[in-house]
Amino acid sequence: MAVYCRLHERCLELLSGADILFRRPNRLDVCLVQNHPIALVFLPASDIPSFVGKGNVDLGITGHDVILESQMESFVTESLRLGFGKCALQVQVPEAGSVQSLDELAGKRIVTSFEVLAGRFFAEVDTRAGLTGDVRHTSIEYVGGSVEAACALGLADGIVDLVESGETMRAAGLRPIATLLESEAVLIRSSTPKHAHLAPLIDKITARIAGVIAARKYVICQYNVLRAKLQTQRRSPRTARPDYFPPGGPGLVSVGAEDILIFNLDNSRV
Ligand SMILES: Nc1ncnc2c1ncn2[C@@H]1O[C@H](COP(=O)(O)OP(=O)(O)OP(=O)(O)O)[C@@H](O)[C@H]1O
Ligand SMILES: O=P(O)(O)OC[C@H]1O[C@H](OP(=O)(O)OP(=O)(O)O)[C@H](O)[C@@H]1O
């Protein structure tokens, strides 16, 4: 099973919640799981789709964006969305620059770490702008990191980069003008698995990880309410967190309850 580095902590929490116990030796990227016949491999996010897609690794955690960028979407199956690593791949231009729309970027210079996705996106922009045949197309140049510096350095008219909080973008004096895709971390398995006999183990680990994610979405709410209040309480409107409350809704708790206990759910071993 392969996990990526950037949201390392969240992956570790997930593995621990799924009762996958291991000790990773210093500087080693491979380790054995103590309570299952599994080896864990810590790889760069961009390598994981290909390892899993080719069947060398049976399960992986990586970003939806890197699966598309590595063009492995037909070789891997996204079994679960993991609810973290959420970000968007966006076209950004200098806030105070002359280019303020996609059409104005057609035929100009883009710098990105996502050259496949950016290439496809700008091929359509070019077509819409009539940049076909020998006319100069939008140029897409790859850089491995610090993409946001490209415009200020005079290397690009716009960039295509990931945005989570937007802090990096704003600090670089950029603003978004289009979104290519929304992404989050996903659990993947090979669409053509090499090791058929491992299917039950793969299903078991997938179900446990699904359990951790489900457990995080809910709490157990216990409370006592006077019988008289139970009868008079009107059903309250649905709230943003209907899953927190039993039939009768949160109004029953906030208006009528005397002692309220909220428990987090945990998937850990006892
Ligand atoms: N700012 C961000 N917020 C949320 N998720 C992000 C952010 N940046 C990247 N990601 C997600 O994490 C994935 C991997 O990022 P990155 O390339 O930094 O990881 P890595 O190659 O595993 O680690 P590193 O480069 O640190 O060795 C991205 O493709 C995306 O899915
Ligand atoms: O919207 P924000 O919360 O600021 O996050 C976005 C930044 O995070 C990623 O970079 P990363 O930190 O992985 O470093 P990198 O620039 O070396 O890729 C991405 O490439 C942006 O630069």
Side-chain angles (χ1 to χ4, degrees):
M1 177 173 185
V3 293
Y4 77 79
C5 301
R6 186 173 212 283
L7 298 173
H8 192 238
E9 286 304 315
R10 300 299 302 271
C11 287
L12 295 188
E13 279 173 27
L14 209 55
L15 295 176
S16 154
D19 193 29
I20 296 171
L21 305 177
F22 64 94
R23 198 168 294 119
R24 183 181 175 184
N26 240 352
R27 307 186 65 79
L28 277 189
D29 291 335
V30 182
C31 65
L32 291 178
V33 172
Q34 290 153 10
N35 55 343
H36 298 282
I38 298 174
L40 280 182
V41 200
F42 294 85
L43 296 169
S46 52
D47 290 340
I48 292 176
S50 144
F51 274 83
V52 175
K54 289 175 185 161
N56 305 73
V57 174
D58 297 292
L59 274 176
I61 297 176
T62 189
H64 173 67
D65 54 338
V66 289
I67 296 167
L68 299 184
E69 177 63 19
S70 56
Q71 303 181 79
M72 294 303 288
E73 59 268 36
S74 52
F75 299 94
V76 301
T77 303
E78 297 188 14
S79 319
L80 294 174
R81 290 176 173 203
L82 300 177
F84 60 87
K86 291 190 176 179
C87 50
L89 187 63
Q90 296 190 316
V91 182
Q92 302 163 32
V93 293
E95 247 164 347
S98 58
V99 174
Q100 290 300 320
S101 74
L102 269 183
D103 294 343
E104 290 169 292
L105 263 183
K108 298 210 161 54
R109 299 162 307 157
I110 299 294
V111 160
T112 185
S113 302
F114 290 82
E115 49 184 348
V116 171
L117 293 174
R120 268 190 219 148
F121 184 82
F122 277 97
E124 286 178 21
V125 172
D126 284 353
T127 305
R128 276 204 309 275
L131 302 187
T132 50
D134 292 337
V135 186
R136 197 169 68 118
H137 295 190
T138 306
S139 94
I140 311 288
E141 191 176 330
Y142 173 86
V143 296
S146 302
V147 180
E148 67 281 357
C151 294
L153 292 173
L155 297 169
D157 301 297
I159 63 165
V160 172
D161 196 13
L162 294 172
V163 178
E164 182 195 14
S165 64
E167 267 176 48
T168 307
M169 177 175 67
R170 284 189 291 275
L174 300 168
R175 73 176 193 91
I177 57 168
T179 298
L180 278 67
L181 63 96
E182 306 277 347
S183 181
E184 71 182 275
V186 287
L187 181 74
I188 55 172
R189 59 165 73 191
S190 174
S191 301
T192 50
K194 269 189 186 166
H195 314 114
H197 66 287
L198 292 179
L201 181 58
I202 292 172
D203 289 344
K204 180 171 162 180
I205 299 301
T206 303
R208 284 191 180 195
I209 292 178
V212 178
I213 295 163
R216 284 196 191 136
K217 283 189 194 154
Y218 297 96
V219 293
I220 294 174
C221 178
Q222 283 190 347
Y223 54 89
N224 57 355
V225 186
L226 287 173
R227 245 175 238 289
K229 287 191 178 170
L230 261 181
Q231 281 152 10
T232 56
Q233 179 64 46
R234 276 189 311 151
R235 195 182 172 85
S236 60
R238 288 180 76 78
T239 68
R241 302 295 302 266
D243 49 316
Y244 261 44
F245 300 98
L252 198 57
V253 177
S254 59
V255 178
E258 287 175 5
D259 305 297
I260 305 167
L261 295 173
I262 307 266
F263 299 96
N264 283 326
L265 292 165
D266 197 275
N267 205 35
S268 309
R269 242 178 2 162
V270 282

